[in-house]
Amino acid sequence: MIYINQLANHVDQSVTLKGWVYNYRSSGSLVFIEMRDGTGLTQCVVAKDDVNEQAWEAATSLKQESSLEITGTVKADERSIGGHEIHVSDVQVIQIAEDYPITPKEHGVEFLMNNRHLWLRSQRQWAAMRVRNEIIFAIHTFFQDRGFMQMDSPIFTGNAAEGSTTLFETEFFEEPAYLAQTGQLYGEAMAMAHGLIYTFGPTFRAEKSKTRRHLSEFWMIEPEMAFYDLEMNMDLAEDMIRFIVKTVLDKRRAELGILERDVTKLEPLVEKPFIRMTYTEAVEILTSDATATMLDEMMESRKQEEKDLKQEREEIKKEHGSAKKWRKKQIEARQVEIGARLDQIEEDYRNIPQWKESAKNFEWGNDFGGSDETVLMMQYDVPLMVTHWPAEIKAFYMKRDESGKHALGVDVLAPEGYGEIIGGSQREDDLELMYERIEEEGLDKGVFEWYLDLRRFGTVPHAGYGLGLERTVAWICGLQHVRETIPFPRMMGRLTP
Ligand code: 4AD
Ligand code: MG
């Protein structure tokens, strides 16, 4: 048995493949089976004259997602998916599937999410999971090659580290306990034992936000480094993101193709330095006249585009009546494209004025909302690293600058409106100041005693950050929503399958 992604090594040889029927079509004495086996897709052609009666019967009884074994000769064929075609000599059915609920026609997202266990077999979902896997592997490679040690932090915890409003409460032998929002505090302890560490595990947030960026259970990668300051932390984050993007571009071009990802949007990241600025500078840009003008111009260009698209739609509609069959198909495809783009423009008409209002009225001291991030990122084609945040809106463990007003934190915003993918900081390393912070925040000192020990016994400057895996996958794959970036998403209103 061989796999579809190895067909190139078996051209003109007879091979046996095991898999499932992805698509099925028959015409007279020919059956076309698009077969998938987990590694890829290939077209298998069964000609009645080439197979025995039993095999022909098997081939004509197939339905979508039936499992089967196929033997045939591999032919190189550029026009065929994957560049090969199988000329079938034998078909063995393993199971004829029942009527498969997911058909090639369009389905609503709720329906697909209810059938997530089956939806995972679809091409786009398959491709996204392959990219996710590549990103995971790239992250491990990046850190391991630099001498970082991976550690596992606990899921049951006794305290909040990222604000009490997003805690999932549970019970631990009759004691209240929480699902970890972050592994950071444990990472800090481990960094004092090993120097350079990273966690890679599930984290939980009970935010009641139903946005395309929020999951209740998501995977976070949290490096923590002894003797690092904010700038070293940022250099590391930048190198890591660049390495991830470069790896996916090198190894998962085909999957990005299936996802119809515009890779020219990712390519600049391989070379160009990221943009760095302080929160205060970012606020100045957000509230500037230049930003307001940019949004006005955007509105104007959308109006022009709408006009052009509507005109084109009229013209091809007229042409459709008398067009040849192939051209009719082309026109219909273009009509769908135009429809989708017009919907987007409609949405922009609603959004742009709101973005403009929100940007113009933004006040120093607030956190950026999703729309503020979107507006900021319209101006850059590489990630933006925002530092020196108002201390009040950042976590208690962040070190402050000399003025005491700013937290030495960094948020990394991804391009194309994907928002914050990294949050990090230099940590407060002074025992007295840390005590003050914990008191100010009204946190339970008792549960943080062990954490304060890290400041009592050989405290050193240190820093770290957390990368959200699903947001990273969404951005690199160009997916609209994080629900398609994890096999079985957990989010408000979604606990099954
Ligand atoms: O900014 P956050 O809350 O930072 C921390 O948890 C720090 N303890 C990290 C550290 O310094 N070690 O979360 C980090 C990242 C965010 O930038 C985002 O990418 C992701 O985690 N994230 C989420 N992803 C999906 N759904 C959610 N509800 C998320 N909340 C945060
Ligand atoms: Mg954050």
Side-chain angles (χ1 to χ4, degrees):
M1 186 179 104
I2 67 141
Y3 290 99
I4 288 171
N5 65 356
Q6 303 164 339
L7 289 178
N9 305 328
H10 298 273
V11 173
D12 295 325
Q13 294 171 15
S14 177
V15 299
T16 296
L17 298 171
K18 293 183 186 188
W20 298 263
V21 175
Y22 191 67
N23 241 319
Y24 179 90
R25 184 159 67 81
S26 72
S27 82
S29 57
L30 287 175
V31 167
F32 300 91
I33 304 162
E34 247 180 64
M35 182 174 177
R36 57 170 197 89
D37 75 344
T39 74
L41 266 186
T42 193
Q43 166 133 298
C44 305
V45 185
V46 193
K48 191 173 182 186
D49 295 342
D50 293 350
V51 294
N52 65 30
E53 213 170 293
Q54 215 177 359
W56 180 249
E57 198 152 292
T60 49
S61 69
L62 291 170
K63 289 162 64 176
Q64 194 186 346
E65 287 303 321
S66 298
S67 44
L68 76 171
E69 196 177 311
I70 273 184
T71 303
T73 309
V74 183
K75 293 289 169 194
D77 185 343
E78 264 181 39
R79 291 161 310 159
S80 198
I81 22 163
H84 302 95
E85 198 169 81
I86 311 291
H87 292 188
V88 176
S89 56
D90 194 23
V91 180
Q92 300 279 339
V93 170
I94 299 171
Q95 189 222 12
I96 299 290
E98 295 179 20
D99 285 342
Y100 194 63
I102 304 175
T103 58
K105 72 163 196 202
E106 293 243 347
H107 294 285
V109 165
E110 271 309 294
F111 175 83
L112 291 168
M113 287 301 298
N114 289 337
N115 287 284
R116 183 63 178 164
H117 53 295
L118 302 176
W119 191 24
L120 289 168
R121 304 178 185 191
S122 300
Q123 273 282 281
R124 284 178 58 86
Q125 302 307 312
W126 176 87
M129 288 303 115
R130 295 251 146 182
V131 174
R132 179 184 167 103
N133 178 62
E134 199 64 56
I135 292 173
I136 291 172
F137 194 64
I139 291 169
H140 281 296
T141 305
F142 177 85
F143 284 119
Q144 295 287 337
D145 282 353
R146 280 161 186 76
F148 282 66
M149 196 193 70
Q150 197 263 333
M151 73 164 277
D152 303 309
S153 55
I155 309 270
F156 281 121
T157 63
N159 55 263
E162 297 296 333
S164 53
T165 53
T166 65
L167 280 175
F168 272 112
E169 205 173 331
T170 174
E171 208 193 78
F172 190 76
F173 303 117
E174 280 134 54
E175 237 189 287
Y178 311 98
L179 301 185
Q181 300 166 304
T182 168
Q184 180 195 319
L185 307 193
Y186 306 98
E188 287 185 52
M190 199 68 151
M192 298 308 135
H194 293 268
L196 306 173
I197 65 93
Y198 67 106
T199 70
F200 200 131
T203 45
F204 305 87
R205 303 271 169 108
E207 278 148 303
K208 292 212 162 106
S209 25
K210 280 192 170 177
T211 80
R212 61 199 190 87
R213 296 174 187 171
H214 285 94
L215 291 168
S216 313
E217 177 179 295
F218 65 98
W219 286 66
M220 186 149 56
I221 296 89
E222 297 186 89
E224 190 71 35
M225 296 76 67
F227 307 107
Y228 267 47
D229 61 13
L230 179 63
E231 198 167 311
M232 295 161 83
N233 198 21
M234 291 163 74
D235 290 344
L236 184 76
E238 180 168 343
D239 286 350
M240 178 198 68
I241 294 175
R242 183 168 291 122
F243 182 80
I244 293 171
V245 171
K246 193 175 174 318
T247 305
V248 174
L249 285 174
D250 282 350
K251 297 195 178 160
R252 294 293 160 195
R253 286 262 167 185
E255 284 81 356
L256 294 177
I258 291 169
L259 292 162
E260 296 172 275
R261 179 66 165 117
D262 178 0
V263 290
T264 63
K265 295 263 167 43
L266 295 174
E267 279 157 353
L269 273 88
V270 177
E271 295 285 332
K272 274 180 143 181
F274 295 3
I275 313 281
R276 299 180 181 200
M277 66 176 70
T278 64
Y279 167 89
T280 304
E281 287 165 334
V283 173
E284 274 162 19
I285 291 176
L286 201 58
T287 53
S288 69
D289 292 342
T291 293
T293 309
M294 178 194 75
L295 289 168
D296 287 341
E297 282 168 6
M298 197 167 164
M299 199 72 175
E300 286 313 306
S301 84
R302 292 290 188 279
K303 282 183 187 151
Q304 186 59 46
E305 192 185 348
E306 183 188 20
K307 222 172 109 191
D308 294 346
L309 286 172
K310 285 190 167 159
Q311 192 178 342
E312 184 186 347
R313 194 166 64 177
E314 279 308 301
E315 281 163 13
I316 56 176
K317 195 176 157 195
K318 277 187 211 139
E319 190 194 338
H320 190 269
S322 56
K324 292 237 165 61
K325 200 173 164 193
W326 65 268
R327 177 62 188 151
K328 269 201 167 76
K329 271 204 170 150
Q330 222 175 32
I331 289 173
E332 284 155 17
R334 180 65 188 148
Q335 282 168 332
V336 172
E337 243 173 54
I338 291 175
R341 182 63 193 145
L342 286 173
D343 285 347
Q344 255 171 23
I345 291 175
E346 270 305 308
E347 208 181 307
D348 284 351
Y349 284 159
R350 282 191 299 274
N351 283 333
I352 295 171
Q354 285 176 20
W355 291 343
K356 193 180 157 188
E357 262 320 282
S358 163
K360 203 173 64 187
N361 299 324
F362 190 89
E363 280 178 32
W364 198 99
N366 289 332
D367 204 354
F368 295 130
S371 71
D372 305 314
E373 289 178 356
T374 304
V375 171
L376 266 177
M377 290 314 290
M378 280 172 186
Q379 349 218 354
Y380 310 106
D381 61 358
V382 293
L384 171 64
M385 307 178 106
V386 181
T387 62
H388 298 81
W389 291 75
E392 294 73 34
I393 58 170
K394 287 293 182 190
F396 75 94
Y397 52 70
M398 290 192 188
K399 194 177 176 66
R400 297 185 179 182
D401 69 358
E402 273 119 56
S403 77
K405 261 173 54 183
H406 309 108
L408 296 178
V410 55
D411 276 12
V412 181
L413 307 183
E416 301 172 74
Y418 282 91
E420 181 200 324
I421 53 170
I422 284 182
S425 65
Q426 186 170 335
R427 319 305 190 189
E428 182 52 72
D429 48 37
D430 181 90
L431 180 64
E432 287 311 312
L433 291 175
M434 188 61 97
Y435 248 131
E436 272 174 37
R437 292 292 114 73
I438 289 175
E439 215 140 68
E440 272 169 24
E441 300 270 326
L443 297 167
D444 178 356
K445 260 193 256 161
V447 294
F448 285 105
E449 271 308 318
W450 70 267
Y451 184 63
L452 290 164
D453 270 355
L454 306 177
R455 277 75 184 163
R456 285 189 186 104
F457 303 107
T459 189
V460 297
H462 63 288
Y465 61 82
L467 170 78
L469 179 63
E470 287 74 22
R471 288 191 192 174
T472 307
V473 176
W475 162 49
I476 291 181
C477 289
L479 295 170
Q480 275 299 310
H481 199 295
V482 286
R483 68 182 159 226
E484 290 181 44
T485 64
I486 184 165
F488 293 96
R490 294 290 174 255
M491 54 197 188
M492 242 181 108
R494 176 61 58 191
L495 190 57
T496 53

